[in-house]
Amino acid sequence: LMYCLLPYMDGYETSQILRGIEISRKVGMETPIVALVGGYDDNEEDRCRRVGMTTLITKPIKITQLEMVLKRFIS
């Protein structure tokens, strides 16, 4: 889970850095990054996707929503 509004380096910048590391190291498989945002709108989803986040969930977190996301990435 990547919280988007952090004081020093926000989740958007952190995600871009992580994706850059994966590309430079030719990892082959992306680490899932689930954005944790305060509210949902299309602009927020677009911004998350542009920086390399895999999906997003909104606060307050609903247990069913978190379960669905975790099941998607746990294999």
Side-chain angles (χ1 to χ4, degrees):
L1 296 175
M2 179 70 68
Y3 189 64
C4 292
L5 300 176
L6 297 171
Y8 178 70
M9 180 188 307
D10 66 28
Y12 306 107
E13 184 178 357
T14 304
S15 295
Q16 286 180 307
I17 291 169
L18 289 172
R19 292 298 184 228
I21 291 168
E22 290 175 337
I23 290 168
S24 69
R25 293 185 180 171
K26 299 177 182 163
V27 173
M29 187 172 107
E30 288 186 343
T31 303
I33 301 174
V34 180
L36 180 58
V37 298
Y40 176 84
D41 64 32
D42 290 339
N43 293 330
E44 187 66 34
E45 184 174 6
D46 289 343
R47 183 176 183 191
C48 290
R49 299 248 186 242
R50 278 195 312 272
V51 298
M53 294 177 176
T54 314
T55 190
L56 65 106
I57 58 176
T58 58
K59 296 186 325 184
I61 298 174
K62 296 179 181 116
I63 296 299
T64 55
Q65 185 182 30
L66 182 58
E67 284 176 343
M68 285 178 21
V69 169
L70 291 176
K71 284 179 184 178
R72 179 177 165 193
F73 297 111
I74 295 173
S75 56

